[in-house]
Amino acid sequence: MLRKWTFRAVIAYLLFGIAVYVYLFYLAGSTVPDHLKGTSVDPATFLNSREIMLSEEYSKIRNLLYFISTPYEWLFYFLILIFGISKGFERWAESTSRLHIIQSAIYLFLLSVISFVVTFPLSYISYRFSKAYNISTQTFTLWMKDEVIDFWVNFIEMFIIVTVLYWLMKRFKRRWWVPAWLLSIPFMIFMMFIQPVVIDPLYNDFYPLKNKDLETKILALAEKANIPAEHVYEVNMSEKTNALNAYVTGIGSNARIVLWDTTLEQLNEKEILFIMAHEMGHYVEKHIYFGIAGYIILTGIGLWITAWVMNRLVRKKGAELKITAVSSLSSLPLFLLITSVLLFAASPITNWVSRYEEMRADRYGMEMTNDKKAAVQTFHDLTKSGLSQVNPPYLVKIFRYDHPTMLERIRMVEEFKKK
């Protein structure tokens, strides 16, 4: 039985990988429609032939790595369950201490280490391709530093979650998902509050915008939008990437508008002001609060489904999966497997909502600046710096794109009429 399950799981993964490769490299198209050729959305009008070739190559490789990485994670969780590795970690943790909190720490550390080792090859391949296509500027040492920071940040977050979650499972048996859902809300808000001031600085240096003349103009936009902003921050991303970005992070008094230094170096003032107006659009339209509401709803549904599936699988297949009870620490890979599958299945919906909000922010940016030329040039520069596709394949768009495609964004700008 063990050999049969393993064989089927590995074959299913390989067939999925082959299907994705054929779709991305042979079946899916990414050219713009014929009636848009020669317009501002056509890559041939703002990229040279080499840049077009590189963007196609890099986008296909990046998308392939994404689509094979997610089920690779599922395969890993499945195999450590049926081979009894998870059960072995649980026995080791229980033999070390009688305290639940110590057992959780030991078990989670062992699981985290083996997960890091198993997924490292795909992470390294992704890094090497990003480096080869001149997207990443990181040295291997700096990249490994970020990987190690990721490991410990994720371990600490998961330690808190797992310790509380499995205590609730023992305490409430079948209805554990209800208090877990309720406790996830303040935890999520707390993490959003400390993200800009505790976690983000572990990876990069943040400081107030050095260009005070530009900051004055950005703050004037903020005042026009009734946003109580006092500072704009920049972050030194040039030591890591050539890509461009700006974003809003945090909530309440810890909310920040952040510009990458690559954006400041590669874009002109009008383009930067358009980007800032876009980010202000998220604030004005309260997208962060809609995001919190969506998170609460999806988390509740996800935990309910996860609890139902786990109870059913442990009851019927617990012996094969080496799980004696849902509340056993050895069931954690099953919990992670189910939640990962649910997140992947929900991504077309969450990405659609995000794309809608991003398009609204683009429109707000146009309302504030009314500068079509700067907006179109911004999207051209973003495409060039990230070697992204203007019109990605459909499945890539719905599963990966939380922003509208560049074709959609540029067309919106070209057709925009100020109210």
Side-chain angles (χ1 to χ4, degrees):
M1 179 66 73
L2 178 63
R3 185 177 299 176
K4 182 174 70 173
W5 281 29
T6 304
F7 177 77
R8 288 179 177 177
V10 172
I11 291 298
Y13 175 71
L14 292 175
L15 290 176
F16 175 80
I18 293 171
V20 170
Y21 177 83
V22 171
Y23 172 76
L24 292 175
F25 285 83
Y26 295 100
L27 300 180
S30 59
T31 58
V32 299
D34 289 340
H35 70 280
L36 294 177
K37 289 183 178 178
T39 67
S40 59
V41 304
D42 186 357
T45 64
F46 60 92
L47 299 177
N48 60 44
S49 58
R50 175 172 171 76
E51 289 171 334
I52 293 174
M53 178 193 70
L54 291 176
S55 67
E56 285 297 313
E57 288 180 355
Y58 180 66
S59 294
K60 288 176 180 178
I61 293 168
R62 183 180 58 181
N63 292 331
L64 177 64
L65 287 172
Y66 168 79
F67 280 111
I68 66 174
S69 295
T70 303
Y72 182 76
E73 179 186 353
W74 304 343
L75 180 64
F76 162 70
Y77 290 138
F78 177 71
L79 292 181
I80 66 170
L81 282 172
I82 65 171
F83 277 103
I85 298 173
S86 180
K87 188 65 177 178
F89 288 166
E90 182 184 38
R91 288 171 179 163
W92 192 351
E94 290 175 344
S95 67
T96 305
S97 174
R98 293 183 178 181
L99 295 176
H100 170 64
I101 191 170
I102 302 299
Q103 292 175 4
S104 297
I106 295 171
Y107 174 88
L108 185 60
F109 180 76
L110 295 173
L111 182 64
S112 298
V113 169
I114 192 173
S115 176
F116 180 86
V117 171
V118 170
T119 58
F120 182 82
L122 283 177
S123 298
Y124 180 71
I125 290 171
S126 179
Y127 161 72
R128 288 303 305 169
F129 273 113
S130 181
K131 187 84 170 174
Y133 282 85
N134 202 34
I135 300 298
S136 173
T137 58
Q138 274 186 301
T139 63
F140 177 75
T141 303
L142 283 176
W143 178 75
M144 276 303 302
K145 176 186 174 183
D146 280 354
E147 291 291 298
V148 172
I149 292 173
D150 268 342
F151 175 88
W152 287 110
V153 169
N154 291 334
F155 174 78
I156 293 170
E157 289 181 9
M158 284 299 296
F159 171 67
I160 297 170
I161 293 170
V162 169
T163 302
V164 174
L165 180 66
Y166 277 80
W167 179 82
L168 293 174
M169 287 179 174
K170 293 179 186 295
R171 177 71 174 79
F172 295 98
K173 302 298 181 184
R174 297 182 65 85
R175 298 290 181 181
W176 57 265
W177 66 271
V178 177
W181 174 48
L182 295 175
L183 287 175
S184 73
I185 299 170
F187 181 75
M188 178 268 298
I189 294 173
F190 173 73
M191 291 303 298
M192 290 180 67
F193 188 78
I194 68 169
Q195 180 83 29
V197 294
V198 177
I199 298 176
D200 289 347
L202 296 174
Y203 298 89
N204 299 100
D205 295 326
F206 291 79
Y207 35 81
L209 188 62
K210 296 175 183 177
N211 187 334
K212 295 304 176 184
D213 182 56
L214 177 60
E215 184 179 47
T216 299
K217 294 178 180 179
I218 292 172
L219 293 178
L221 273 180
E223 184 179 3
K224 184 179 176 182
N226 296 317
I227 297 175
E230 296 181 0
H231 296 288
V232 179
Y233 291 86
E234 62 177 285
V235 54
N236 62 328
M237 289 298 296
S238 54
E239 65 179 15
K240 296 184 177 183
T241 182
N242 285 317
L244 312 178
N245 197 16
Y247 60 90
V248 176
T249 185
I251 57 174
S253 61
N254 282 356
R256 287 183 174 182
I257 298 176
V258 181
L259 275 164
W260 287 10
D261 61 347
T262 52
T263 303
L264 293 166
E265 292 165 4
Q266 298 181 44
L267 300 187
N268 62 44
E269 186 177 280
K270 290 183 178 180
E271 293 173 87
I272 293 171
L273 289 176
F274 169 74
I275 289 176
M276 287 292 91
H278 165 100
E279 297 302 334
M280 292 172 191
H282 288 303
Y283 179 93
V284 171
E285 300 212 351
K286 298 178 172 53
H287 290 162
I288 189 169
Y289 300 108
F290 287 113
I292 291 173
Y295 169 88
I296 293 171
I297 294 170
L298 288 178
T299 300
I301 295 172
L303 284 171
W304 171 66
I305 295 173
T306 300
W308 184 83
V309 173
M310 286 185 73
N311 286 328
R312 189 176 181 86
L313 284 177
V314 171
R315 186 172 64 252
K316 294 190 173 184
K317 300 291 183 181
E320 290 90 338
L321 296 174
K322 312 295 189 299
I323 302 173
T324 54
V326 170
S327 59
S328 300
L329 278 173
S330 57
S331 72
L332 180 58
L334 180 61
F335 175 87
L336 296 174
L337 170 59
I338 296 169
T339 53
S340 180
V341 171
L342 291 176
L343 285 171
F344 183 78
S347 59
I349 299 173
T350 56
N351 285 340
W352 179 84
V353 173
S354 178
R355 288 195 300 270
Y356 172 78
E357 291 181 342
E358 293 295 337
M359 186 63 81
R360 294 281 301 179
D362 280 346
R363 291 184 181 277
Y364 185 85
M366 286 302 301
E367 289 282 351
M368 290 287 285
T369 63
N370 197 30
D371 192 339
K372 290 187 178 183
K373 183 179 179 181
V376 170
Q377 186 61 47
T378 299
F379 296 138
H380 286 175
D381 290 340
L382 288 170
T383 302
K384 183 181 295 188
S385 67
L387 291 181
S388 55
Q389 294 169 310
V390 170
N391 189 32
Y394 179 71
L395 291 180
V396 173
K397 173 185 172 181
I398 66 172
F399 280 102
R400 293 212 63 196
Y401 274 53
D402 56 6
H403 283 60
T405 66
M406 287 302 178
L407 184 149
E408 293 167 336
R409 301 181 84 173
I410 295 172
R411 288 197 70 189
M412 184 281 294
V413 169
E414 294 287 12
E415 296 169 2
F416 175 81
K417 294 182 179 179
K418 189 175 175 67
K419 294 181 182 179

